[in-house]
Amino acid sequence: MTALIDLRSDTVTLPSPEMRRAMADAELGDDVYGEDPTVNRLQDLAAEMLGKEAGLFVTSGTMGNLVSLLAHAPRGTKVILGDEAHIFRYEQGGAAVVGGLVYQTIPTNPYGDLPIERLRQAVQRRDDAHEAAPGVLCLENTHNRCGGTVLSLDYIRQARQIAVEQDVPLHLDGARLPNAAVALGVSLREVAAPFDSVQVDLSKGLAAPVGGVVVGSREFIKQAHRARKLLGGGMRQAGVIAAAGIIALEQMVERLAEDHQHARILAGGLAELPDVVLDLGTVQTNLIVFRLNPDRWSPSRFITAMREQGVLLGGSGYNQLRFATHYGITRADIERTLLACKNVLAPRY
Ligand code: TLP
């Protein structure tokens, strides 16, 4: 019996042998006292690689986004973000629940950017007692529900300009920022530069078992650190997991190119099969988001049929399906996945 090929998410990645060794050997202390040398090293490394003053280790991408929003925006102000943003769709409205913030969504373009004019209107400060004031503007790069699409540096700079004009902080949900940097062929620092704060996940394509980092100015990180404690995110000998995060940043960024290549190969073959609706233009990194002809397939029937062929994939929004390529997936796995898709969608050929 061959093992299942798990393409549900890049979160299923297991730590590399180097990570496991680093975890076993990590120097530890109590991080609530700021005394875990490995956590401190990870935070400094992340800040350096992303070109910001300071960093903070967090338990997850969700916590990274939430502490950022809480640190930036006073109660009663608006979180302005896309209607397909992970923060809006998948994080339980945490900023409203915990921080008394109001979400204002903007329709998302198919490749994950938000129309610039809508963005300008949303962040406009008006002297009007009816309205909640803008608190923070959020972008997502790469964009999960749009299929791992990458925001251009030019677009990000335009958004930056608008945020600066209105004095509204700009936050990036950069859960997959390293994928964006590799796809653009630039450094992490360049993608992060226009943002006041960035959260980057270590446990997705970079394959660490747990956690993410938030980076920004020293003052911002001070506030984010307070918010992390409020949320119960003050971990003690957290260096055990931070050690894997260091390896993730040092060793696992460049190899994302391989995941992107695997995604292109898989998407190219998939798009040729009957009943598949897939815009290959969206396949810019490691995610493939597609639909099937709804007259012939429900997403759950396809997921079940693929499982019987030994391949796991997931849903991604209404009637959409998703494959995610990642560390541990080989070219042979991609060929096997394509064969499984053919067996399910075009059994006669
Ligand atoms: N995304 C997960 C699921 O929650 C959908 C996945 O499998 O893709 N921002 C973005 C853009 C994300 O894709 C995710 C996770 C998060 C934030 C949250 O990260 P975690 O799961 O670490 O809280």
Side-chain angles (χ1 to χ4, degrees), residues 15-25 243-244 247-248 251-252 327:
S16 67
E18 291 80 2
M19 286 179 184
R20 288 185 189 268
R21 274 196 293 276
M23 292 169 80
D25 295 343
I247 305 287
Q251 297 182 10
M252 304 298 273
Y327 173 65

Side-chain angles (χ1 to χ4, degrees), residues 241-253:
I241 46 178
I246 293 172
I247 305 287
L249 287 175
E250 285 179 346
Q251 297 182 10
M252 304 298 273
V253 175

Side-chain angles (χ1 to χ4, degrees), residues 130-142:
H130 295 86
E131 289 187 27
V136 58
L137 172 61
C138 304
L139 297 177
E140 184 173 314
N141 196 15
T142 67

